[in-house]
Amino acid sequence: MNARHVLVLPDRDAAEEVAEEVADRFGIGEEPQLVRDALAGEDDAEDAQWLVVVEDPGARLDPAALDELAAEYEGWLEAP
């Protein structure tokens, strides 16, 4: 069973740091993907969240640990 985890972060810098931390802490094989998520109706780059998408073959990552990591950067783990 494969899983995909989406961590929501307030800005690009936080998302980049979290992506590096995920790779270091959890030893994942594939680099997490960064995605800019513009808020509905907003065109300004300042009004965007960033997503860190983590592929989890075998569903072995602990969602609570991912949520705690995101919270360290004022983010959260999106519920599936």
Side-chain angles (χ1 to χ4, degrees):
M1 181 174 155
N2 293 335
R4 174 179 287 154
H5 306 282
V6 178
L7 292 83
V8 182
L9 285 304
D11 57 48
R12 183 182 186 133
D13 290 340
E16 288 174 347
E17 289 182 36
V18 167
E20 288 179 24
E21 281 291 318
V22 166
D24 291 345
R25 287 191 195 185
F26 301 101
I28 60 172
E30 186 176 328
E31 186 75 21
Q33 179 183 4
L34 297 179
V35 178
R36 181 179 177 272
D37 184 32
L39 300 176
E42 299 293 336
D43 294 328
D44 189 352
E46 296 298 318
D47 294 324
Q49 296 174 325
W50 283 80
L51 309 178
V52 176
V53 180
V54 181
E55 297 297 334
D56 183 13
R60 64 177 186 82
L61 298 178
D62 179 11
L66 290 170
D67 190 43
E68 288 175 18
L69 172 60
E72 292 175 22
Y73 293 87
E74 299 181 17
W76 64 89
L77 175 65
E78 192 70 19

